[in-house]
Amino acid sequence: MTEPPGCGDTPDPVDALASAWADEVEGTSYVPMAADELQAHLRELAGLVVDAVLADPPRPDAGAEVGRRLVSAHFTGPATLERTVLLLVEALPALLGPGVTPAAHALSGTLAGGYAAALRDRTLDEQEAIRRAVLAARHHTEQALHASEARFRAMFHEAAIGIGLGDMDGRILEVNPAMTRMFGHSADEFRRLTVGDLTHPDDAPSVWRLYERLLRGEIDNFRVEKRFFRRSGKEIVGHLTLSLVRDEEGRPTYQLAMLEDVSERHRLQENLEYQAYHDPLTELANRAKFTERLERVFTREGPDSTRRVGVCFLDLDGFKTINDSLGHGVGDRMLQEVARRLGACATGGELVARTGGDEFVVLVEDSHGVDRLVALAERVLAALAPPLPLAGQELVVGASIGVVEQAVRETTASELMRAADITLYTAKAEGRGRWAVHDPGRDEAETARFTLSAALPSAVAHDEFFVLYQPLVSLADHRVRGVEALVRWQHPRLGVLSPSLFIGPAEETGIVVELGRRVLEYACRDARAWHDEFGDAAPFVSVNVAQRQLAEPGLVAEVSALLDRTGLPPDRLQVELTERALTIDEGAPLKALDGLRAMGVRIAVDDFGTGYSNLSYLRKLPVDVIKLDGSFGEGLREEDLSDPVDERIVGTLVALGHALDLTVTAEGVETEPQAARLRALGCDEGQGWLFAPALPATDIARMLRRGAPLGDPPVRPGGDLLGA
């Protein structure tokens, strides 16, 4: 095979394709053209091909015209089509980029179809000419028997297609050399055969019904494509035209068969079809094949169908790590072994497909209940459990599986796969290496979550978020020392949404970084307004910073620029980070926190005590405040009853904070007895509904103007609770 063009400095892909094409097909067909004429002729066809695959959308049907023009130019050698198709499949992506690969495959298929159709039509024309020659020879026998016989014999013996003559009883009387070469029988062996001896088990009954009608004289000819056996037992596929030869009185006298061997074209078509529906790496069915089979399940069932269908949708756990660390070669061999094991699990005729990357799916038609799917999922996990000997070591690969089994009349193909995708996500969220069964109620929640996740970028762009502030109060005198900025989403349809509904999706999609910037800017502007009005008595503002924000390399520079832009003193800003965000990676957060601390920004650890408390690491962090999670103070709320365990835990955490010279803030303070106990245990600050709910910035300013200590919820003029 000639090296596909594209590796050198080829100025024009059409010229490059035409040159390579000419090299490929030169000598494969008897075309009276010099090399330069051949290339010039093919350049026009190459232009059609390039224009078709680059069109938007691509025009694969242009391949049919190219195939017809090849035949018209007499490029009909046995190897011409094969070399042309293989060249286009390889050369077009090399010349025009891998993005044209699907279009190149599709165009190659239509080219083969157009080529075959044109070749067939030309053959049929030849066959019709032969038939007319036979009739003419028969008609003029008395006048020019010798000349007619000579012409017929020349045509009969030199024809490229197989020709056979039989009587009306089916005995074969004469065959030409092309027919003997095609079947491997000698002419004498053919004369001992009948038409019935050439039957094939795959012959459709309609073929022989047509043959019987021809023998009765009801039709003069018919054409069919059928299989035959060579003398060696090998199969060939032939395009057969069987015609009736009548005598001068119109009575059927002979039957004339003309046969073209189209086996090579069939093999090429089967190969193209296999490539279109199978994954080249694992040889499993691909996404297209799986989708076609699944759609077929739904399209052929009526509304009263009782048929059920199920899928096991699985994704390999940790495959990316293996692929990245050991290389794609090891990853490919792992996928091949996984495919082999999955194929062994499909014992009931299930279809196993690789739908992309490390995702596989098993389709179970006529599932008759979820138990069969669960058993299949168990077999898959058991099959994948033994280590895989790869790269000189034993590698373990697991999988998470989403199991869905439903009645066909209750769902659609797309809904079934959406449910499988959500269920797979659930299996991964529950710890991986396991299966999860489709739960419609859980799917509704996940769908709502995905809907919010998809709407987040637009919501941030359209400024649908606003900030409320909850006071941070000194437990010694109940006066406001700071406020925590709490973001809310003013959803256009669902109303005000709490962070519990959108912070998780925001972190997963990465939009939390931009959202965090907006919240930080809102908070700094409001804090600057308070500082302008109240001076040193103004509260600091505490803003939550997500883990992904902390990992942003430009965080420190952004905060510095924001403080300069708003004029807020750095000591009036406090950033809150979860304990997990601080302990997941020592390098990235420590560098950012050092930079913020150097500017004078306060650092607080939120929800302290609920994560992995690496105390030795905490000592190294530039932290000013720890905020105790509200769950630790729940047992201290009743006036006459206190949980001694909660009291000891809180006392220990307070002592730890003070030992590290940190301010200790208690979250979730709801009752005065709880505030008193926390104050007695040494807590410095409190935050909760006892003092105030989350309020707009204007209500915070009104509260500061009043200047009264907070203990009971403040009351607006007129008696309404602030923020209620």
Side-chain angles (χ1 to χ4, degrees):
M1 187 75 181
T2 302
E3 182 70 16
C7 299
D9 297 325
T10 304
D12 184 353
V14 174
D15 288 335
L17 180 60
S19 176
W21 200 347
D23 291 340
E24 283 298 321
V25 303
E26 185 176 10
T28 62
S29 298
Y30 297 103
V31 180
M33 291 184 186
D36 55 344
E37 293 176 323
L38 176 62
Q39 184 170 339
H41 179 81
L42 291 176
R43 191 187 187 285
E44 183 179 354
L45 300 186
L48 291 177
V49 169
V50 171
D51 289 344
V53 298
L54 290 180
D56 186 11
R59 294 182 290 100
D61 56 339
E65 175 60 19
V66 175
R68 287 191 291 270
R69 290 175 67 170
L70 283 172
V71 173
S72 296
H74 303 289
F75 290 92
T76 56
T80 301
L81 177 60
E82 179 182 1
R83 294 194 180 187
T84 294
V85 169
L86 293 178
L87 172 74
L88 295 182
V89 169
E90 294 177 5
L92 288 175
L95 281 169
L96 306 175
V100 304
T101 298
H105 278 276
L107 184 137
S108 297
T110 61
L111 186 147
Y115 184 96
L119 192 61
R120 181 195 60 204
D121 292 343
R122 197 184 76 161
T123 300
L124 294 178
D125 291 341
E126 290 180 353
Q127 292 173 350
E128 185 62 21
I130 292 170
R131 190 176 75 86
R132 288 196 299 269
V134 171
L135 293 175
R138 177 70 176 173
H139 181 70
H140 298 290
T141 299
E142 290 84 2
Q143 299 176 4
L145 180 59
H146 181 73
S148 297
E149 183 71 16
R151 285 195 298 270
F152 175 77
R153 285 296 172 186
M155 175 274 298
F156 186 80
H157 284 280
E158 300 302 325
I161 62 173
I163 302 175
L165 189 66
D167 62 18
M168 299 308 296
D169 292 326
R171 291 188 296 269
I172 298 174
L173 305 176
E174 192 69 48
V175 293
N176 71 343
M179 186 76 86
T180 60
R181 290 192 298 270
M182 195 180 302
F183 280 84
H185 291 293
S186 67
D188 288 339
E189 288 173 331
F190 260 116
R191 294 186 190 100
R192 292 194 290 270
L193 298 176
T194 66
V195 173
D197 295 328
L198 301 180
T199 58
H200 189 280
D202 291 344
D203 287 347
S206 58
V207 173
W208 296 101
R209 285 196 293 270
L210 286 171
Y211 180 66
E212 290 170 358
R213 292 185 61 198
L214 182 132
L215 292 181
R216 292 195 297 267
E218 296 175 4
I219 57 176
D220 285 333
N221 59 71
F222 69 87
R223 297 166 180 169
V224 69
E225 208 167 77
K226 69 182 293 292
R227 297 179 183 272
F228 297 90
F229 287 114
R230 286 176 54 85
R231 188 174 188 273
S232 62
K234 181 180 177 181
E235 273 192 349
I236 59 173
V237 181
H239 187 86
L240 173 67
T241 298
L242 199 61
S243 302
L244 194 63
V245 180
R246 299 178 183 269
D247 61 17
E248 293 180 349
E249 297 177 0
R251 292 189 297 266
T253 307
Y254 299 101
Q255 49 181 308
L256 179 69
M258 288 172 281
L259 187 67
E260 177 191 4
D261 186 354
V262 294
S263 304
E264 191 66 29
R265 175 167 60 84
H266 264 258
R267 282 192 291 270
L268 180 59
Q269 288 178 334
E270 289 172 356
N271 184 50
L272 290 173
E273 182 178 354
Y274 184 88
Q275 292 180 13
Y277 286 106
H278 287 80
D279 173 48
L281 177 64
T282 62
E283 297 186 356
L284 294 177
N286 61 10
R287 181 186 294 274
K289 180 67 173 179
F290 169 79
T291 302
E292 182 183 274
R293 279 279 294 274
L294 182 61
E295 291 285 357
R296 194 188 310 159
V297 171
F298 288 89
T299 55
R300 67 188 184 193
E301 296 300 320
D304 299 327
S305 171
T306 59
R307 192 178 186 186
R308 301 182 69 83
V309 63
V311 294
C312 285
F313 188 27
L314 64 127
D315 181 89
L316 301 184
D317 297 330
F319 175 76
K320 185 178 185 301
T321 301
I322 293 174
N323 211 30
D324 292 345
S325 59
L326 299 180
H328 292 278
V330 174
D332 287 348
R333 292 199 297 276
M334 174 174 283
L335 291 174
Q336 289 170 335
E337 176 60 20
V338 167
R340 187 191 65 78
R341 296 186 183 188
L342 289 178
C345 293
T347 57
E350 301 92 348
L351 174 68
V352 182
R354 180 190 177 203
T355 55
D358 59 342
E359 291 183 347
F360 298 83
V361 64
V362 185
L363 172 63
V364 181
E365 302 180 45
D366 299 312
S367 49
H368 303 298
V370 74
D371 291 345
R372 178 178 174 185
L373 275 297
V374 170
L376 175 60
E378 294 281 7
R379 290 202 307 272
V380 168
L381 292 179
L384 296 180
L388 283 68
L390 295 171
Q393 54 187 306
E394 291 190 339
L395 302 178
V396 177
V397 60
S400 300
I401 306 176
V403 176
V404 181
E405 197 275 344
Q406 291 179 311
V408 170
R409 68 173 182 272
E410 295 175 358
T411 186
T412 64
S414 59
E415 289 175 355
L416 184 76
M417 290 311 299
R418 184 184 61 81
D421 192 30
I422 292 174
T423 308
L424 170 62
Y425 176 85
T426 300
K428 283 188 172 294
E430 291 177 350
R432 303 191 175 196
R434 64 187 65 205
W435 50 265
V437 176
H438 167 60
D439 180 350
R442 182 172 56 198
D443 282 1
E444 291 180 6
E446 289 296 334
T447 300
R449 175 185 174 90
F450 291 157
T451 302
L452 290 180
S453 179
L456 275 169
S458 176
V460 172
H462 290 87
D463 209 19
E464 295 177 4
F465 295 88
F466 65 95
V467 177
L468 300 178
Y469 301 93
Q470 188 170 35
L472 298 165
V473 176
S474 168
L475 290 178
D477 57 12
H478 283 206
R479 293 191 178 277
V480 177
R481 296 184 59 184
V483 293
E484 180 180 357
L486 302 171
V487 64
R488 300 289 187 267
W489 184 357
Q490 184 65 56
H491 195 280
R493 290 189 301 100
L494 304 178
V496 177
L497 302 182
S498 72
S500 62
L501 296 176
F502 61 82
I503 289 297
E507 289 179 337
E508 293 168 5
T509 60
I511 198 67
V512 72
V513 175
E514 180 58 30
L515 177 59
R517 290 194 187 103
R518 300 285 182 95
V519 173
L520 193 60
E521 183 161 354
Y522 300 153
C524 287
R525 287 178 179 174
D526 289 336
R528 174 63 189 184
W530 298 327
H531 188 268
D532 288 343
E533 182 176 352
F534 302 105
D536 292 339
F540 65 84
V541 63
S542 188
V543 182
N544 290 279
V545 175
Q547 179 180 325
R548 293 187 70 155
Q549 282 181 273
L550 192 62
E552 288 288 306
L555 176 64
V556 175
E558 287 179 8
V559 172
S560 177
L562 178 59
L563 293 176
D564 290 341
R565 189 165 61 251
T566 59
L568 181 68
D571 64 350
R572 296 290 87 190
L573 174 63
Q574 174 175 290
V575 297
E576 293 189 21
L577 307 110
T578 64
E579 192 175 355
R580 174 175 173 79
L582 291 170
T583 56
I584 196 168
D585 178 7
E586 293 190 12
L590 186 57
K591 184 177 180 180
L593 295 182
D594 284 339
L596 294 173
R597 186 74 175 283
M599 286 191 290
V601 176
R602 292 158 51 92
I603 311 296
V605 181
D606 195 15
D607 298 330
F608 185 78
T610 59
Y612 172 68
S613 301
N614 188 334
L615 300 182
S616 63
Y617 184 32
L618 185 62
R619 291 182 59 190
K620 297 185 290 183
L621 292 173
V623 174
D624 301 284
V625 181
I626 57 174
K627 299 183 70 175
L628 304 184
D629 186 73
S631 61
F632 294 119
E634 290 178 356
L636 310 179
R637 290 175 182 168
E638 301 298 329
E639 183 172 2
D640 300 327
L641 182 64
S642 176
D643 189 326
V645 175
D646 282 356
E647 198 164 328
R648 284 196 295 271
I649 290 174
V650 172
T652 301
L653 293 176
V654 171
L656 170 64
H658 288 167
L660 297 174
D661 198 23
L662 304 176
T663 299
V664 181
T665 301
E667 299 178 307
V669 182
E670 297 185 1
T671 67
E672 180 55 42
Q674 183 184 18
R677 287 193 174 94
L678 290 169
R679 181 171 60 248
L681 291 171
C683 278
D684 304 296
E685 298 172 354
Q687 176 182 358
W689 277 78
L690 172 65
F691 308 113
L695 303 170
T698 54
D699 287 348
I700 294 294
R702 188 180 300 116
M703 179 188 297
L704 293 172
R705 293 187 195 104
R706 194 169 60 244
L710 300 182
D712 297 323
V715 179
R716 295 180 185 271
D720 293 334
L721 289 177
L722 284 176

